[in-house]
């Protein structure tokens, strides 16, 4: 896999559903739907996460104007054990289902597979759906909420949110390229410093652009990472900007942007499958649609450990999948 | 998604790695590699599962004669929380990685995506790798092994095994069609009766063949399900054979075949991502290669619950992905 895979499809519509903390953040008014209780009418946090996916996909389908029955496939995933956020959340849709697990990179992985399928005519229309929920993730990965564990400064805050995208011909934002990530592990084994584990994977994918024939980094307006947070973003800069200073001003990170670091107690920023999905849907896609930016790189990173592998003393493998998005407006 | 997706690719090589119980079963001598300790040189069951994936993929690559560096992508998954069997197992391969979660259906899901990518020229060569391990699955889904819990008659035995497939042009078995599954849930909430949860998903996918233009069930020699086991296979017969008696003699199930029900204490048969993967690699592909059968349906089924969703009183959603495999010999 030497070169960027050329794609020719579009994002027809998208939707973002978030919790209260995300609504109170600097981009709160941009999201489609929020629930101040974070419960979305359900009894458990896990069922609330499934409800977010359901609402996000329904909203995206509704915005697209496309009949649900002609959507050929769903590519979906989340952070829950056995990816139950997606399997239960999308159960009611009579659409073929491909379950994915790429940790927080799933937002890009799902969009990438949907884009490949629609670019090459395997499917006409696909949905890509991902989610995360602070409360379900916290008790699964770390401690029950009631425990009130102290969070170190490098810890990130799992975003409560779900993003859904309808991919196929006819949308306002083109998807023109993809570079799937390789699994990278550089010895980080601290679950409270996932930015450090993921930054080398992001650097690996970006550096592979420089040996590709068609490097999209040169003329991209923005290079947007998923959820490296403050710590991981700094590490990525150290790893790549010293040799490639021209991309320094273009780097943005959804985990850095989604919360107000001064006013909201989030330490190193946001994380989770939902983080990059809702920021792409609510913030970056509209910029491309309005032509404010012409071309952007969307690269979601995932830390693929489990509590079990950490207890067994293993380091954290990570992956970063990259997409090239372009505005239809010249 | 009304019709069977036409594909044109082949399985170039495959490999099967199993544990001791599988080696002692009726097909034991057909598997490539086994380890009587089930540990594969590792300290923990989870790391043993990763080791199986590594060995399976290395063996499949070696058999294919293809340089690892020109394999474009890996599609992989397993049953572990956060799919760590795959992420850690395949870490050493410098190949782009797509993580999947479809429970036991992942064997078909990974082969299906690899087939789509190579049929349509998105990638030239792909790997598809899946695994399960009795000991890692038992303590994650049910009880620690030391607990010695009583198993009800409908319980299945998770296969310790990993199968790897190299997909692209030049192999001896063609992949000519695919029908991705939809998520189906019919109210079964007993984790010790996954066959009953998965049978309706298998029936749903098979019945969709009858409304497709190009139903492959008519001229298939065998219709092989993944791991319905004795219980699920009986339910599938009740659901579908009464209206379609012509397929009754063609139905086989990897979970039924892999162990000797009389001599091995496995109750309703085998299950797990590894079950259908190793039986396809070691038993059914050679039959196609030798021309003993001309055409077979491979349909792996997955039960996508987690211990958490069951504790919260939710039923088990399931999915069944279908592939059409054909011999190159006329």
């Amino acid at each position: 896999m030497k070169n960027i895979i050329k794609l020719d499809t579009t994002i027809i519509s998208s939707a973002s559903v978030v919790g209260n903390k995300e609504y109170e953040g600097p981009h709160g008014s941009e999201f489609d739907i929020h629930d101040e209780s974070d419960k979305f009418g359900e009894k458990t946090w896990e069922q609330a996460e499934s409800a977010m996916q359901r609402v996000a996909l329904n909203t995206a389908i509704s915005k697209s104007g496309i009949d649900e029955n002609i959507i050929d496939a769903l590519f979906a995933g989340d952070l829950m054990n056995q990816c139950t956020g997606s399997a239960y959340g999308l159960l009611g849709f009579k659409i073929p289902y491909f379950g994915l697990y790429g940790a927080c990179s799933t937002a890009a992985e799902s969009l990438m597979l949907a884009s490949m399928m629609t670019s090459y005519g395997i499917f006409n229309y696909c949905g890509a759906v991902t989610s995360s929920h602070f409360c379900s993730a916290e008790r699964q990965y770390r401690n029950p909420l009631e425990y009130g564990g102290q969070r170190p400064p490098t810890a990130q805050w799992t975003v409560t949110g779900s993003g859904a995208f309808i991919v196929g011909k006819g949308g306002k934002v083109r998807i023109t390229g993809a570079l799937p990530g390789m699994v990278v592990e550089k010895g980080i084994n601290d679950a409270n410093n996932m930015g450090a584990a993921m930054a080398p994977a992001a650097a690996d994918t970006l550096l592979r652009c420089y040996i590709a024939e068609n490097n999209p980094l040169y003329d991209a307006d923005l290079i947007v990472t998923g959820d490296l947070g403050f710590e991981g973003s700094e590490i990525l800069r150290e790893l790549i900007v010293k040799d490639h200073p021209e991309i320094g001003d273009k780097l943005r990170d959804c985990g850095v942007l989604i919360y107000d670091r001064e006013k909201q107690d989030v330490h190193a920023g946001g994380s989770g499958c939902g983080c990059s999905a809702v920021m792409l849907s609510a913030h970056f896609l509209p910029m491309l649609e309005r032509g404010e930016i012409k071309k952007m790189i969307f690269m979601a990173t995932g830390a693929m450990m489990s509590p079990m592998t950490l207890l067994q003393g293993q380091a954290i493998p990570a992956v970063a999948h990259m997409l090239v998005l372009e505005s239809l407006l010249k």
Side-chain angles (χ1 to χ4, degrees), chain A residues 117-135:
Chain A
M117 296 297 171
T118 53
S119 290
Y120 283 78
I122 303 173
F123 294 131
N124 292 317
Y125 299 106
C126 291
V129 195
T130 48
S131 67
S132 52
H133 195 301
F134 175 76
C135 302

Side-chain angles (χ1 to χ4, degrees), chain A residues 152 154-156 188 190-198 228 231-232 235 268 316:
Chain A
T154 55
Q156 291 175 250
I188 307 291
D190 178 1
N192 280 311
N193 194 351
M194 290 192 298
M198 295 190 290
L228 295 177
E231 183 79 6
I235 297 171
I316 301 174

Side-chain angles (χ1 to χ4, degrees), chain A residues 237-251:
Chain A
R237 283 182 182 276
E238 285 179 28
L239 289 173
I240 196 161
V241 176
K242 66 174 191 292
D243 289 332
H244 301 285
E246 75 283 359
I247 68 166
D249 290 342
K250 300 178 181 179
L251 288 169

